[in-house]
Amino acid sequence: MAIESPLDLASFDPWHNQKRADVARIFDTIGLAPFPTQLWRFVDSADDPRRGAEDFLRAIGIDPARVQAGDEAEIDRANEVLELLFGIDRIFDRVTPKVAAALEARLCSGDYRAVREAAGAADTFERIARLGRRWPKSDRIAVLDAFLEEVEAGLANPLAIRATDVALAERIGDRLSRQMMAFDAAMQATWALHYSLAMRWPPHWGATEVWIRSSALARAESLEKLLRRDRRLRPHDVDMTIRRLESANARLEQLTARINRRSVRVGPDSGQIPRKQPLTELDKAFAFFGLDRTSRLDRGTLRQRFWALARKLHPDQAEPDATSQQAAHARFVALNRHYDLLKLQL
């Protein structure tokens, strides 16, 4: 079917209900692509799809008449805006109407750089905000909780985020992620050691050993409370507090080592079964990835192993029922946690 004018839909059947298909065909004829979500909002809300398409072009600062006339410069500029809109579609869905209007005003004025920077800031802040899904509020240290609140506030208006703030937030997010992994590993070790000592406590041990265990556990509990409650801790203070927590664990490990040595001396004829020390988080990570704990860790090998496991363990590969999906999600979260820990060893 011949079309006299690229934006003239008069030759289409007026009762045709596929307005989107009509507009997509017209845009293809002109050479406009891709099709951002905002286009369909204009088309769907208009009685005449031609008018909806023209209103959309005007809204993004493009002259429909020049596009209709085949002006290559205006078509190139339209495609630049369309590609930009297609890449930042989600921003308009998560910001307030006022901020969305400000973004559209920047587009109409031709300030594409500001819109791209806002999109980049929003993507970075969204990536940082995923830390909140990885560590629920009840599991976080307080400084991470405070930081995520600032990130959420920034996501509400990405136009107000400066490039320097984006870079700083990314560094802070990376550091807090490492600190949370170290805190998690330390706390898991604390409770594993506490349980092991409670189950294997030698009956002949006296007040000295009891004091070592109780003081180390009290120290660990105090440090945990500090990290979970104090939102004003500086990065260095967080690192030092985690090291003190690890030192408290070291005292418990010394008691565990004494029990292990005693089990070896007693031997199998005593009727006692020697018990192994609990696996550390790093041991679990190596085992999860099927890597030798004593071998030298290689970045390329680790990355290849991660992608192989990611493809195998992704929830999309699991059965659709809720139980299978929940188990698959737990395995995938564990994969990413172990991968982050192993990367720190490179």
Side-chain angles (χ1 to χ4, degrees), residues 148-224:
L148 289 177
E149 289 177 3
E150 294 180 4
V151 168
E152 289 296 331
L155 276 171
N157 187 8
L159 274 172
I161 305 173
R162 298 175 299 181
T164 53
D165 294 333
V166 174
L168 178 60
E170 197 163 23
R171 290 196 299 271
I172 294 173
D174 289 342
R175 184 181 64 234
L176 283 170
S177 178
R178 291 193 297 270
Q179 289 172 333
M180 273 302 307
M181 286 190 292
F183 173 67
D184 273 352
M187 287 308 306
Q188 290 176 18
T190 298
W191 297 116
L193 289 164
H194 174 49
Y195 176 78
S196 176
L197 288 170
M199 296 297 294
R200 304 173 60 196
W201 192 260
H204 66 279
W205 273 8
T208 300
E209 289 81 9
V210 171
W211 179 84
I212 293 173
R213 183 179 69 168
S214 60
S215 62
L217 288 173
R219 180 67 168 160
E221 183 179 0
S222 173
L223 293 168
E224 180 192 7

Side-chain angles (χ1 to χ4, degrees), residues 59-113:
I60 62 174
I62 303 300
D63 185 350
R66 290 178 60 187
V67 170
Q68 180 177 344
D71 187 322
E72 292 186 3
E74 192 69 0
I75 292 173
D76 288 343
R77 196 164 71 87
N79 280 328
E80 182 181 1
V81 180
L82 289 173
E83 289 173 5
L84 179 57
L85 278 172
F86 188 78
I88 65 171
D89 259 349
R90 291 181 302 163
I91 291 184
F92 288 89
D93 295 330
R94 61 180 174 245
V95 298
T96 64
K98 182 178 180 181
V99 175
L103 282 167
E104 290 176 355
R106 294 293 182 93
L107 281 170
C108 291
S109 68
D111 192 357
Y112 306 145
R113 178 179 177 181

Side-chain angles (χ1 to χ4, degrees), residues 133-146:
R133 296 196 290 272
R134 183 174 180 184
W135 287 289
K137 192 176 182 68
S138 59
D139 296 339
R140 301 173 198 161
I141 58 177
V143 289
L144 174 59
D145 203 34

Side-chain angles (χ1 to χ4, degrees), residues 37-66:
T37 302
Q38 290 83 359
L39 168 63
W40 305 130
R41 293 173 184 167
F42 279 85
V43 171
D44 294 344
S45 63
D47 294 333
D48 180 359
R50 175 186 57 79
R51 186 177 300 109
E54 291 179 348
D55 289 344
F56 166 73
L57 291 176
R58 291 191 191 93
I60 62 174
I62 303 300
D63 185 350
R66 290 178 60 187

